């Protein structure tokens, strides 16, 4: 639905964040993650991933439409794994942020849990079968399966979004009515809706 057009307020936006979005925020803030550090970073020039999460935390778009953040055991587990892997590993596949196990677990218990619970989202639990593979690899396919299954409800209209910093994931020809956006694209979308809503409010004030 184009921004600025009439919309059904009963509809919901369901959003899943790729693992790299959480790791971006963790890398920018450093160990351990706290919301106090998160809020302090917003006063500077934060990365797009941090700004996108800040907008998602409200649980709504500027026009009042509900936004829920969802996750899965796959996403939680991979975030903790990549955060705790050594930062100097020779093989890029084994390289992470070098955080302690406790710090990595904090990303699940604080960052992901608070974001999901604060937006009335949830977890799809264990992902049994990946989706969109190929062209996606198994890990990305499990993320894509998460957004496919998230927030299922046949009584209301759902718009599904996956926010990722992975170019091939973002651009791959994939099945399903799921929009994939870079974090800066989500920020731009949010800002456009805010401008449209501000314009509508201005017009209402003139009546």
């Amino acid at each position: 639905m184009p921004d600025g057009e009439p919309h059904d307020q009963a509809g919901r936006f369901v959003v899943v964040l790729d693992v790299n979005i959480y790791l971006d925020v963790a890398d920018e803030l450093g160990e351990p993650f706290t919301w106090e550090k998160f809020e302090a970073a917003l006063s500077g020039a934060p990365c797009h991933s941090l700004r996108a999460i800040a907008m998602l935390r409200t649980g709504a778009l500027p026009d009042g439409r509900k936004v829920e953040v969802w996750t899965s055991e796959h996403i939680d587990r991979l975030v903790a794994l990549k955060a705790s892997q050594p930062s100097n590993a020779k093989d890029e596949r084994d390289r992470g942020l070098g955080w302690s196990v406790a710090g990595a677990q904090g990303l699940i218990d604080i960052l992901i849990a608070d974001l999901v619970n604060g937006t009335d989202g949830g977890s799809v639990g264990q992902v049994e079968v990946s989706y969109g593979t190929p062209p996606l690899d198994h890990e990305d396919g499990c993320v894509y399966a998460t957004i496919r299954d998230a927030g299922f409800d046949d009584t209301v209209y759902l718009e599904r979004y996956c926010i990722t910093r992975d170019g091939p994931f973002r651009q791959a020809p994939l099945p399903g009515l799921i929009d994939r956006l870079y974090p800066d694209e989500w920020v731009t979308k949010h800002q456009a809706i805010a401008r449209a809503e501000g314009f509508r409010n201005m017009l209402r004030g003139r009546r």
Side-chain angles (χ1 to χ4, degrees):
M1 180 183 299
D3 298 328
E5 290 187 1
H7 51 76
D8 180 3
Q9 290 287 351
R12 294 155 51 201
F13 279 60
V14 174
V15 177
V16 166
L17 299 175
D18 198 357
V19 172
N20 51 57
I21 302 300
Y22 291 116
L23 295 177
D24 269 357
V25 171
D27 191 36
E28 174 146 329
L29 299 182
E31 184 180 6
F33 173 84
T34 67
W35 286 112
E36 290 76 16
K37 289 164 67 174
F38 183 97
E39 294 293 342
L42 288 175
S43 63
C47 65
H48 291 301
S49 295
L50 195 146
R51 294 179 66 197
I53 287 180
M55 292 173 171
L56 289 168
R57 284 186 74 194
T58 65
L61 292 174
D63 58 13
R65 285 178 289 177
K66 184 176 177 56
V67 176
E68 301 170 12
V69 178
W70 283 70
T71 187
S72 63
E73 291 180 11
H74 169 80
I75 291 174
D76 295 351
R77 182 172 61 251
L78 198 53
V79 167
L81 173 64
K82 296 305 295 183
S84 62
Q85 285 180 322
S87 58
N88 58 352
K90 292 182 179 180
D91 191 329
E92 184 178 354
R93 292 171 297 181
D94 299 326
R95 195 177 306 151
L97 301 182
W99 282 28
S100 67
V101 172
Q105 183 64 37
L107 293 175
I108 300 174
D109 297 340
I110 302 174
L111 172 56
I112 298 178
D114 287 356
L115 184 60
V116 168
N117 295 333
T119 59
D120 294 326
S123 174
V124 304
Q126 185 175 355
V127 177
E128 299 288 350
V129 181
S130 61
Y131 182 50
T133 50
L136 298 179
D137 62 20
H138 176 73
E139 302 296 352
D140 287 342
C142 288
V143 173
Y144 201 55
T146 300
I147 183 60
R148 176 198 62 191
D149 298 340
F152 183 80
D153 187 340
D154 58 5
T155 64
V156 297
Y157 175 68
L158 296 181
E159 290 193 40
R160 300 180 183 277
Y161 289 85
C162 181
I163 302 178
T164 181
R165 196 170 44 77
D166 184 332
F169 189 177
R170 165 70 175 80
Q171 299 164 15
L174 297 174
L177 299 176
I178 299 170
D179 287 316
R180 289 154 287 148
L181 298 178
Y182 292 125
D184 64 297
E185 291 176 319
W186 178 265
V187 170
T188 299
K189 178 182 182 67
H190 191 279
Q191 292 171 334
I193 294 173
R195 288 193 298 270
E197 185 66 11
F199 182 68
R200 281 193 292 268
N201 289 336
M202 182 181 68
L203 292 179
R204 293 187 192 107
R206 291 179 178 177
R207 293 173 184 171

